[in-house]
Amino acid sequence: QVQLVESGGGLVQAGGSLTLSCAASGSRFISAMAWYRQAPGKQRDFIARIRKDGSTNYADSVKGRFTISRDVAKDTVYLQMNSVEPEDTAVYYCNALLLGSNYWGQGTQVTVSS
């Protein structure tokens, strides 16, 4: 039912910054949204989550560097990525929890050059 569309991925140099966006439909009933990432040959990893009350949590690997935020009026969540590292290279996926079910976007590629 819900549709998620990520954007903002691309190529960035180590130490630089990048902002990802996720536009959601059906967000009126979304209880939480999150970002995950998956590098080639590796499992999908949790990155950051924001709940309907605005509370957030982050993976240890990105604490202090990444920030998740939400614009309720625009039905959009963001991931501000600062001080990126080559290890951050991955496909980033937007996730939404709606009525007890998980929904995923198609993903956006982030590549960090050394």
Side-chain angles (χ1 to χ4, degrees):
Q1 184 64 45
V2 68
Q3 292 181 320
L4 305 173
V5 180
E6 302 101 331
S7 62
L11 177 64
V12 61
Q13 287 187 287
S17 298
L18 199 66
T19 300
L20 307 183
S21 300
C22 175
S25 63
S27 60
R28 178 181 179 88
F29 303 106
I30 293 175
S31 59
M33 297 189 70
W35 288 95
Y36 290 74
R37 69 186 183 189
Q38 186 168 19
K42 297 185 178 180
Q43 68 178 32
R44 179 190 63 194
D45 291 329
F46 164 80
I47 297 300
R49 175 179 293 109
I50 185 166
R51 301 174 181 85
K52 62 181 180 181
D53 65 0
S55 63
T56 60
N57 62 298
Y58 298 89
D60 288 341
S61 60
V62 305
K63 283 182 179 178
R65 300 190 299 121
F66 293 5
T67 302
I68 188 170
S69 62
R70 181 181 182 183
D71 187 332
V72 177
K74 296 181 179 180
D75 296 327
T76 302
V77 295
Y78 306 92
L79 185 69
Q80 176 66 49
M81 307 167 61
N82 296 325
S83 302
V84 296
E85 306 166 352
E87 293 76 14
D88 296 321
T89 295
V91 176
Y92 284 70
Y93 296 94
C94 182
N95 167 269
L97 181 62
L98 174 67
L99 300 177
S101 297
N102 279 298
Y103 296 85
W104 297 91
Q106 297 301 304
T108 185
Q109 176 71 49
V110 173
T111 302
V112 182
S113 62
S114 302

